[in-house]
Each structure stands twice: as structure tokens, then as C-alpha cells.
Amino acid sequence: MSMAVASSLRSLARRRPRLRLPAAPLAVPGARAAFLSGAAEEAAPLAAADAAAAAAPAPGRKVLESFREEFEIGGRSIAFETGKMARFANGSVVISMEDTHVLATVAAAKSSEPVRDFLPLTVDYQEKQYAQGVIPTTYMRREGAPKERELLCGRIIDRPIRPLFPPGFYHEVQIMVNVLSSDGKQDPDVMAANASSAALMLSDIPWNGPIGVIRVGRIDGNFVLNPTVDELGLSDLNLVYACSRDKTLMIDVQAREITERDLQAGMKLAHSEAIKCIDPQIRLAQRAGKEKKEYKISLISDTSYEKIRTLSETPIEEVFTDSSYGKFERGEALEKITQSVKTKLEEENDEDSLKFLSKAVDTVRKQVIRKRIIEEGLRVDGRQLDEVRPLYCESNTYPVLHGSALFSRGDTQVLCTVTLGAPGDAQRLDSIVGPPTKRFMLHYSFPPFSINEVAKRGGLNRREVGHGTLAEKALLAVLPPESDFPYTVRINSEVMASDGSTSMASVCGGSMALMDAGIPVREHVAGVSVGLVSQIDPTTGDISNYRILTDILGLEDHLGDMDFKIAGTRKGITAIQLDIKPAGIPLDIICESLEPARKARNQILDRMDQEISTARAINDGSAPRLATLNFSHDSLRKLLFYRKHIEQETGARVSISDGTVTIVAKTQPIMDKAIEKVEFLVGREIEVGRTYKGIVSSIKEYGAFVEFNGGQQGLLHISELSHEPVSKVSDVVTVGQGLSLMCIGQDVRGNIKLSLKATLPKPRKKKDSEIKDPLPSQGVGWAAVENMPSVGVDAEPSSSQLEDGTTEEAPAFSTPSVIIRSADDCDAQDAANGPKKRVKVAKASPRPYKAPSQHKEVRTATAKKAPGATKKTKKEKSEESGSNSLETSGSQELPEQTASSTQDLKQSPVNFRSGSMKLGDVVTAKVYQIRAFGLVLELSDGGRGMHKFEANGRKEFEVGQELLVKCASFNAKGIPVFSLLN
């Protein structure tokens, strides 16, 4: 084999074409050298390129010069870092706390001229899902429009930063904040505010910072600095505090009825700790910050301002001193003054003054109002400084809604409605921190018609989201826990008219609407807005004089220094939001504002209690019904498939979560129908005495099998079909028929016994003329097994004490328990037994046991068998066993016997026991009870038997009448059935 391979390789080598070089005259001297030199010339460029490549320097290592400042607050290390990321931004800082990192960048427009007459500051805060290692669940798998939480975090950053820009700085500024990574422990909002302050300090944008922002909680009465998300769940205070070195800039509070005194202590602690963030920012700006740029400031000249003030001050004072003006009348009068000043300036061709006319007139209005309030203590509408406007409260405004209320304070009017839903209706939150869902929502809407303006309605509005969240925080403290009230609650606050403090009006209206909806809130929550008018010392820049205003108007909010919204109950504060216009307010003035707010809040609460003070019944009106059912996870598989079908068929809403099924329906009939379908589909734990819906699956001679409770089967015995005797099961029920059945027990094997007659009304009692001695059970038909005297098979006979002192023994007769099997088992047994045969009733009766020999029975004498008689079969004997005794007794002509012999025949032995009764036995019995279809007979030993009337064969009987009867058969329960002999 190897030799063949070698030979083939040699043949291939011979066939390979050889390279033919051009012929060269070998005789020419130097020919070989010329050929070699040509090859070297071709290889020379390649060698030069390789040498050049070897000589080029490798790319160097870029060094990113970064600067870092670290500090500690509340035992947690915090770091500012710049120079490593976003190096082209005007200012960029990464703040770190444990494994949470937040990047803040700032940039300003390149134009040197301001484009607007206000500060166009934009703050964009974004939490991308990669920060927590999650892919977005949206269709495009990308982050979409800003969520509510992102808008709220942007407001947390904007509110303390905006007042510190210099007056007249109207250049466009954008702050962008991105959460780079989050460990889920710290809320990034406070970190983002501190990082934005540091980025502004590093930029060339003029800004009078820095600021410090901190979060304070309280657990078990102890304040916690920068608490984690888990600690906030245990805290009764969530205080976000922003400040400069000596003044307060922003406060945001959510609390569980904290007192004013405790809140003041928390704010003072927050101020002392927040200023620890200021020095690291200053040091970082000194090391890596840019020199501040000279931006053009839009300020009116003193000459132009004096000219406009001279023309407008007197008419403006006349408008503000007339308290009869309403909001729009006052606005129209002020607008006329502005137009008259504009006309005069146009006549003088004063372009500079016309350019700043609106700002200058607004400044004159501000000075007039502030001077009148500080010096005279008079407000625009003539109220006292601590006076609340007139109130109007109305609950159940629209009864068809789940809850509704109308609240008015002065000209401010808000309509609040409550809608209840299932737990599955809760809002899903895609935040990187906090809970995944929210079951209580308050949606605030500020339509343009509320201020008589025309505007385009867009998507989420930052102002609407902020006001709605504030009212939501205020009401959340009094809601019942989810375990007691599992509904999802949504409040819609529709502003009908606005003249200041619509968010606090939403709190008041929402509280009344919650009670109107039947939600068991502990007590009402009310809110009021407090304002501030101050006078600044021009030499020091500090506040020299001030006045605190209660329940401010929209104009007082616009021209004042502070909008301090405070909401709570009589016990304490539940929510606070502080917005200011100057570059900070001393904390002492803010603490002083809490007391007038508390007094005004209590006045409003008194008026609200007069309208509605307790929650209405939740089932009143059109409030939805809610039911919660608990099942095992395995039993819910079928429901998951049929849930939509149940919702479409019933109109109810079914939600499934963690083994719990929640059903919400508009009315009780819809709720009952939905529960019935869910329980039939899934099944419940069987309870004796409870009624179930079922469907007949098969019919047997002894009863019917019924499928109910999620596929389970039970036996409806023939004796449980009706209070009247039933001869045939199919006469009462049919296959596929729906029934309401009661579970009456289980046998020893756990099989379920059902009863139809237990759900039916009992028939009326007989008249006294027909029944002389009425008994407790007067129903038509045969008594149920449980109504018959019975004891266990092996039990001793019971005894009862008679009037003469003797003891009467009750019989040891017992009703055998019916062994219930499923329909499939019965079908299999029938198939194994072969074709059905007609069985005598005696065969179905339990086999009686032999009585002791000393027990004697009354029997009729039977004719002795003749010696030559033919031997009969057992079948023939059983057929004639009853007839022989009957014929013999009939041949004795009982009516013609003597009285003594007849009485001897009727009397039974003293020791007779009905438990040893056999077919054909003749005994004496008394009429115990007369029924519509037969007699209940009492034997001599106290046992019971029955006699069924034949068609048109009923005779007149009396209770206590003695009858001579013969045992003809036993029913399915072992009770003897007698026929009459006389």
C-alpha cells in the first residue's frame, strides 16, 4: 500500500509543468549577476515597508486626569469625581455612594444674547434599565417617554437650583442626569441634586451655589440620615431638604402624621448635615473648575424703571386697594394700566423702556403689594393675614360614581372623584428603586379653562405630576392597609377654577371623596398654602421685615417670596412642599410658618367634618363589590385558561396573583355569578352544610352522581331527592341538569354525600283534626335516616325512663351506612356482574342477624310439608315464603274468631326485637304517624316501620290504632315495609 502511494506521488511530480525561464545567453559575461540583481530590486520596496512599520511608534496610553473629593454623611461615604467621563460637557460630575453612581452634566447655549425674558432652565433626569441589569419590557426594548418618577426627580433638582441664578440671566441652560448603576439601596434623586450642583460649580455658567441636599428619615423616634430604601419602608418621615450655607432652598416631606415640633427638629438636623456637601464642591471647583464667563444680563436701566414706575404706580395702588375686584376684573384693570403706559412710551419713542415694559410693570405691582402688606397688614382681597377664604364642601356630588366631592376655597374650585378597582389594576412602576406597583393614585388635571385661557393639552405635565403627587402623599397616610382594604384606588382631581393653592384643594376634596366612596380612612386630611412677603436690607441683603400670609391667592403666590404647602390631619403633618423665589429663606421663618398653617388646617377640617365625617357603606350606590378567594397553585391552572371567558360571560374582572383570586363586580348579582363559576371551575374545600352548584353526570337505580366543585363527584341518593318518596330517580333529575345541592357528610372512605331535599322548603304540617298527636317531624313522605331512631350496629340498646319508673329499652336496630362510590366504579361493577336481573326488594335489604333463642316472635302457623311432596328449589321457596303464611292466616277466618284468640294473635312478645325481622313475619303494630302516601308504624319494641298506600286504596286510620301487618320488604335503608292483613 505504501509503495503504491509513493509511486503515484512520483508520477505526479513528473507530470508537474516546470517553470521555464526566458533564455539568456550564458556566454554573455555577467548575465547571471544581472538576473539576480533584478530580483533584488523587486524585493527592496517590501523590505523598506517592513522596516518603516517596525520603526513607527506604538499608540500611547491615554491618561485621563480626574479629580476626586470624598466626604461622609451619616456613616456613609460619598465621593465627587470629574475629568473621567463627559469631558466635553461644560461641567460634569459623577457622584458615588456605595455601588450607586450618578452622572450629572450641564451645558449652556452658545448665543451671547438671551432669547427669552425668563430663565429657560431644563432638567432631564433619566433612569435607564441597564443601571439595574434589566432589559426594558417595552415592545421596542428601549426606554420611552419620561416616567412620573423621572419628572419628579427632575423637579427635586430644579427647585433648589433655579433661585440661585443671577437676576436677568436668561440664557438657555440644560442639566442632564443619568443613573449609571444602582444597587437598589439608595434612592438616586438626592445624589443627582448634589451632582448637578457640583457640575454647575465646575462650569463657566454664573451661579450662586453650591447647595447641599440630604434625606432624613425617622425610625422608632430616631432620625436616620440618608436612609436606604428598606429603611424608608420602616420610617414615618421622608424629608428631602436642600439649603445653602445659611438659608433653606427647598423642602419636600412625606410623613405619617408627624407633629410640627418633631418636624422642626428634623429640619434643623437636616440643615446641619446638608452643608457638609458644600465644602467638597468648593474644593473640587478650585481644582478642576472653569473660570466664570461673562454672560449678557437683561436688566432694565434705572432711568427706564423710574419712568415706568411714575406712570403706573398710582393707578396700580387704586386697583389693589379696591377689595371688590375679582380675579379677572383685577387682571383686566391692571392690563389697561399696562396698555396706557405702553401708549405713552410709544409716543415718546422710548424703545428701551418698551423692551422691558412687562417686567417693569410687574415689578411695580410687586412693590405696591408688598409695601401695603408689610406696612398696613392689608391683603389684596381685604382679608386679615391669617384669615382663610370662605369654604364650600359637598359630598356625593354624582351618586352614580363610586365617590365624588366638590371643594371650593374662595374662587378655587376642585372636583374630586374616586374609582375603585381590583388589585390587578394597580399601576406598574418601572423604577430602579422602590415598589414595583402602586395601588393608590391621584391624578391632578389643570385644564386651561380653569383660568379662562386657550392652550393645547399635551402629555404628562411636570406641574400636574408634581401637584398630584403632593396630594397623593398627603392622603396616603390615612388609607387603610392593603390587608384590610385590597382595592386599587384612583382619585381624579379636576380643577374647575384656579385662584391659588389648587393642590391643597385637591387634598381636601380627595379626602371627602374617599369617605364618600366608603373607604375606611381614619380621619380627614386638609391642606393650606402659606405665603411670605419680605423686605430686604439693601446693605446686608438679609430680610429686615416680613409677613406670613395664610391661604394665599394666585396673585400673592406670584408676587410673594414663598409658596409653602402644608397638609395633614389634626394629629400632625402628612405632606409638605416648599417653593421659594429669592435665593433662600432662613429656617426660623419657615418653622414659624407651621403654626398658622396648623390653625387654618383645623378650621378647614371642621367644615369638612360637617359635610361628611365617617365613611359611607361601601356597598351603597354603585360601589363595586370585591371578593378574594384563596386556592392552591395547582388548582388555578384551569382558571388561567378560562379567566377571559368568565369575564366576558359575567362582566366581572378576575385577577390571579400568587394563589389568590380577586373578583371585582359592579353589582352583587354579577359577583355571585362570577364566584359561582370560579368555584365550579376550580373547586373549594368541601364543607358539610354548604350549598354547591352541580351538574348530574349519570343516573343509577339508587341515585345520581353529580359533578360539582371543580370536577369532584358526589352521590345524590334516591332518598335525598325529595321530601316525598321517589320510586324512580329519572323522574326527578336528568343527565346534564344543574342542581343546587347541600353536602350532608362523607362516608368512611371520604366519598361525598349530597342532598337535594335539604335545599327545598319543608312541606306544611297536617291539620290537628287529621293528626291528634303531632310529632316534631311533620314532613310529607318518609322520614330521613337521620330522623329515625338508630344506633350503631355494635352499640348497646338505649333506654329511656318511663313515668312509672320502669326502663324501656330502645331497639338495637340500626340503619346501615350507604357506601358511596363514583359513577365509573359503579359502571365497572355492573359490567362485571353481567346482565341486570330483576332483584326482589328483599335482596336489597341488609341481612338481619339471628336473634337469641329466648326471643319469641308472633308467627302464623304454616302447613307442614307432606311426606310425599315434591322438593322445591330455593328460588321457589323464596317466592312462596310470603304467600304461604298469608294464605294460612287468611284461611283461619280471623273476623269470626273469639275475642281472646284475636287478642292473642295481635299481641307481640315482650322481648320482641325489630332488628331480627325477616320477610314474612307477622306482627302487631300501632299507627305512629299518618302521612300523605302511607303510614309510619311503631312496633312493640319501639322500632319503626312503614306502610305505603296503594293507588286509590287509602282508608281511614287513627293514630294509636293497632294493626296486624306482615313484613313484605325492606327499603334501601333497612327499614321494614309492611302490608296490612286486616
Side-chain angles (χ1 to χ4, degrees), residues 559-849:
L559 301 178
D561 297 332
M562 176 180 75
D563 184 10
F564 194 16
K565 302 181 180 70
I566 306 171
T569 65
R570 287 185 173 88
K571 296 180 181 178
I573 295 171
T574 59
I576 280 180
Q577 179 176 299
L578 171 65
D579 294 322
I580 64 172
K581 295 179 179 63
I585 296 175
L587 182 58
D588 295 338
I589 297 178
I590 294 174
C591 294
E592 183 183 346
S593 305
L594 296 175
E595 182 59 24
R598 185 188 65 81
K599 294 180 179 179
R601 186 170 72 244
N602 290 337
Q603 294 175 9
I604 300 171
L605 288 171
D606 293 338
R607 181 63 187 88
M608 293 168 60
D609 284 335
Q610 293 176 8
E611 175 63 25
I612 180 171
S613 58
T614 57
R616 305 184 194 275
I618 194 169
N619 288 333
D620 289 353
S622 61
R625 277 68 173 169
L626 184 143
T628 302
L629 309 175
N630 295 319
F631 299 98
S632 63
H633 292 278
D634 295 335
S635 60
L636 288 177
R637 295 176 182 174
K638 190 183 296 185
L639 183 60
L640 289 172
F641 183 77
Y642 289 100
R643 181 174 66 89
K644 291 294 183 183
H645 177 72
I646 294 175
E647 291 181 343
Q648 294 174 0
E649 188 172 348
T650 63
R653 301 182 67 178
V654 182
S655 60
I656 305 170
S657 175
D658 195 22
T660 300
V661 178
T662 305
I663 305 173
V664 178
K666 292 184 177 180
T667 60
Q668 192 62 38
I670 295 178
M671 173 63 72
D672 296 338
K673 187 176 180 181
I675 292 177
E676 175 186 334
K677 290 188 174 294
V678 170
E679 290 186 348
F680 181 82
L681 191 65
V682 179
R684 301 282 289 173
E685 184 179 354
I686 301 299
E687 299 178 7
V688 176
R690 183 170 180 175
T691 303
Y692 299 89
K693 298 284 186 178
I695 297 177
V696 178
S697 59
S698 62
I699 294 178
K700 305 296 179 183
E701 292 181 356
Y702 47 83
F705 283 95
V706 180
E707 181 179 351
F708 74 109
N709 198 41
Q712 292 180 314
Q713 280 199 345
L715 176 64
L716 176 61
H717 196 265
I718 187 173
S719 62
E720 297 294 335
L721 286 172
S722 174
H723 293 286
E724 301 177 356
V726 177
S727 59
K728 195 174 182 181
V729 179
S730 58
D731 293 342
V732 181
V733 296
T734 58
V735 176
Q737 180 180 353
L739 300 173
S740 294
L741 305 170
M742 180 181 291
C743 176
I744 59 175
Q746 293 180 326
D747 62 11
V748 293
R749 299 188 180 184
N751 299 309
I752 304 166
K753 296 188 291 185
L754 303 174
S755 174
L756 177 61
K757 72 179 183 181
T759 63
L760 302 176
K762 293 184 179 181
R764 297 179 180 178
K765 297 181 179 180
K766 287 287 185 178
K767 296 181 180 180
D768 295 341
S769 60
E770 196 171 339
I771 302 176
K772 296 181 180 179
D773 187 14
L775 298 174
S777 177
Q778 298 289 342
V780 177
W782 305 115
V785 172
E786 55 269 20
N787 296 332
M788 300 296 294
S790 62
V791 295
V793 176
D794 301 328
E796 295 295 332
S798 61
S799 61
S800 59
Q801 190 76 18
L802 300 178
E803 295 179 358
D804 56 358
T806 60
T807 302
E808 180 185 13
E809 292 186 354
F813 172 79
S814 64
T815 302
S817 61
V818 180
I819 303 300
I820 301 177
R821 299 181 177 88
S822 65
D824 297 337
D825 296 340
C826 295
D827 293 338
Q829 185 67 28
D830 293 343
N833 295 335
K836 294 184 179 179
K837 297 181 180 180
R838 185 176 182 82
V839 184
K840 291 184 179 295
V841 180
K843 294 293 184 179
S845 63
R847 183 169 181 173
Y849 64 92

Side-chain angles (χ1 to χ4, degrees), residues 86 88-92 104-111 119-124 165 169 171-177 196 199-200 202-206 290 295:
F88 282 175
N90 200 331
S92 65
T105 60
V106 61
K110 301 298 188 294
S111 61
L119 174 62
L121 172 64
T122 304
V123 179
D124 293 325
F165 284 93
F169 180 81
H171 295 268
E172 189 173 2
V173 177
Q174 184 180 33
I175 298 175
M176 299 190 68
V177 181
S196 301
L200 284 170
L202 293 174
S203 69
D204 60 9
I205 302 172
K290 299 178 181 178
Y295 286 87

Side-chain angles (χ1 to χ4, degrees), residues 353-411:
S353 299
L354 286 172
K355 185 178 180 181
F356 298 100
L357 175 62
S358 60
K359 283 287 184 182
V361 172
D362 190 67
T363 304
V364 175
R365 296 174 185 173
K366 183 177 180 179
Q367 296 298 330
V368 170
I369 288 181
R370 297 167 75 90
K371 180 180 178 181
R372 189 165 183 265
I373 291 175
I374 291 176
E375 295 181 359
E376 302 177 17
L378 298 177
R379 301 172 68 171
V380 176
D381 56 355
R383 285 183 293 147
Q384 301 295 322
L385 298 182
D386 58 350
E387 184 179 351
V388 179
R389 286 175 286 175
L391 303 174
Y392 174 81
C393 299
E394 177 184 296
S395 62
N396 199 24
T397 305
Y398 298 105
V400 73
L401 303 178
H402 299 169
S404 59
L406 185 66
F407 180 83
S408 297
R409 184 195 293 117
D411 290 333

Side-chain angles (χ1 to χ4, degrees), residues 871-891:
K871 188 176 182 180
K872 297 182 180 181
T873 62
K874 293 182 179 180
K875 180 177 181 181
E876 292 172 341
K877 289 180 180 180
S878 62
E879 292 175 353
E880 295 178 359
S881 60
S883 61
N884 288 339
S885 59
L886 181 60
E887 292 172 0
T888 305
S889 61
S891 63

